[in-house]
């Protein structure tokens, strides 16, 4: 092997290492303040991340150095510049769910006695969960669900309403899935993704916190 080729190899190895050092696993996009427990969950799992405000995302923004996208429960006026359906994504968001072609709308659920949900224990995400659990330690925060009349077909159900198992509170979409609903354009989901309707993280129960972490691990694997 000649010296010039050897030098080029070493330069290539250095550049790959240099670029990798600046790659992050999660890009967390917000409009307002980030959810504190979202940050704590990523720190607990040892995930690297950047918190980016939506105003920093334009048509030239490079998402290629991130493994997954996490979006807050905010309205994103530039939703079309965030490549949901193209990269692994965790959507803790009700306001743009129709823009991304997952459901007609998300429905807000409240209860002065606290909100309980049922879990499908046959999934890898919830197999050790109780069949029924409280979403928050406080009785007052709201959750969001994709009603069975609004959701597009193609979700795998993880957590659902205690009143109707067709109403999904947390669900995942496998890569290569076509979401469909009569009367609406199909949505092709090119990367594994998840909807998470338990958005007020400062009040999470143990189960809600663990489920969020389980989804992060799946999406960054």
């Amino acid at each position: 092997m000649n010296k010039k080729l050897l030098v080029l190899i070493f330069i290539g190895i250095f550049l790959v290492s240099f670029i990798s050092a600046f790659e992050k696993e999660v890009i967390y996009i917000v409009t307002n303040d980030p959810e504190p427990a979202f940050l704590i969950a990523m720190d607990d799992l040892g995930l690297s991340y950047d918190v980016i405000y939506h105003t920093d995302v334009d048509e030239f923004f490079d998402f290629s150095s991130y493994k997954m996208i996490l979006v807050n429960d905010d309205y994103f006026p530039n939703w079309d510049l965030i490549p949901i359906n193209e990269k692994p994504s965790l959507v803790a968001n009700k306001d743009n769910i129709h823009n991304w072609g997952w459901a007609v709308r998300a429905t807000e659920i409240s209860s002065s006695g606290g909100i309980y949900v049922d879990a499908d224990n046959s999934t890898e995400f919830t197999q050790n969960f109780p069949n029924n659990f409280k979403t928050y330690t406080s009785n007052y925060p709201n959750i969001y669900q994709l009603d069975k009349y609004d959701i597009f077909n193609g979700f795998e159900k993880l957590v659902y309403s205690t009143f109707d198992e067709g109403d999904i509170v947390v669900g995942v979409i496998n890569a290569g899935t076509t979401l469909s609903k009569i009367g609406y354009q199909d949505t092709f989901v090119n990367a594994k993704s998840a909807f998470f309707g338990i958005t007020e993280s400062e009040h999470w129960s143990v189960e809600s916190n663990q489920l969020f972490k389980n989804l992060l691990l799946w999406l960054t694997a």
Side-chain angles (χ1 to χ4, degrees):
M1 184 180 296
N2 63 51
K3 290 182 178 179
K4 183 179 288 187
L5 181 58
L6 191 61
V7 169
L8 288 174
I9 290 172
F10 278 121
I11 290 173
I13 292 171
F14 172 78
L15 287 174
V16 168
S17 300
F18 180 80
I19 293 169
S20 297
F22 288 91
E23 288 182 344
K24 299 291 179 68
E25 287 163 300
V26 185
I27 179 170
Y28 178 20
I29 309 174
V30 300
T31 297
N32 298 300
D33 295 328
E35 285 285 323
F38 285 17
L39 303 179
I40 293 170
M42 290 188 284
D43 287 336
D44 286 347
L45 295 172
L47 298 176
S48 58
Y49 59 89
D50 285 329
V51 179
I52 301 292
Y53 285 89
H54 78 287
T55 50
D56 294 324
V57 178
D58 58 22
E59 61 269 32
F60 304 108
F61 191 90
D62 184 11
F63 285 88
S64 64
S65 59
Y66 299 96
K67 285 187 176 181
M68 66 161 286
I69 299 168
L70 170 62
V71 290
N72 236 30
D73 185 25
D74 302 320
Y75 174 71
F76 293 95
N78 59 338
W79 60 268
D80 55 327
L81 300 179
I82 304 172
I84 305 297
N85 299 322
E86 296 303 320
K87 288 189 72 72
S89 302
L90 180 48
V91 176
N93 174 286
K94 69 182 186 302
D95 294 311
N96 295 104
I97 204 72
H98 63 291
N99 296 126
W100 291 315
W102 288 14
V104 178
R105 65 181 68 84
T107 304
E108 187 172 356
I109 305 296
S110 61
S111 173
S112 59
I115 303 172
Y116 289 80
V117 292
D118 292 334
D120 182 349
N121 300 126
S122 67
T123 77
E124 62 180 294
F125 307 97
T126 54
Q127 59 185 350
N128 296 318
F129 282 44
N131 292 330
N132 179 266
F133 67 89
K134 192 175 183 180
T135 53
Y136 298 119
T137 55
S138 170
N139 287 343
Y140 297 101
N142 299 330
I143 67 169
Y144 301 97
Q145 68 178 26
L146 306 181
D147 188 277
K148 68 179 182 181
Y149 296 111
D150 296 325
I151 194 171
F152 284 31
N153 297 317
F155 277 81
E156 179 184 352
K157 175 178 55 182
L158 305 184
V159 171
Y160 50 93
S161 167
T162 57
F163 302 104
D164 193 322
E165 64 178 24
D167 300 337
I168 295 180
V169 175
V170 180
V172 297
I173 310 166
N174 291 307
T177 297
T178 298
L179 300 179
S180 62
K181 183 173 178 59
I182 295 174
Y184 292 85
Q185 184 175 347
D186 289 351
T187 302
F188 182 71
V189 183
N190 196 42
K192 54 187 177 181
S193 303
F195 170 75
F196 195 84
I198 310 170
T199 58
E200 298 198 44
S201 68
E202 67 269 31
H203 303 291
W204 273 344
S205 65
V206 171
E207 290 83 6
S208 298
N209 184 31
Q210 187 60 54
L211 182 52
F212 185 81
K213 289 180 177 179
N214 291 348
L215 290 170
L216 286 174
L217 290 173
W218 178 62
L219 291 165
T220 54

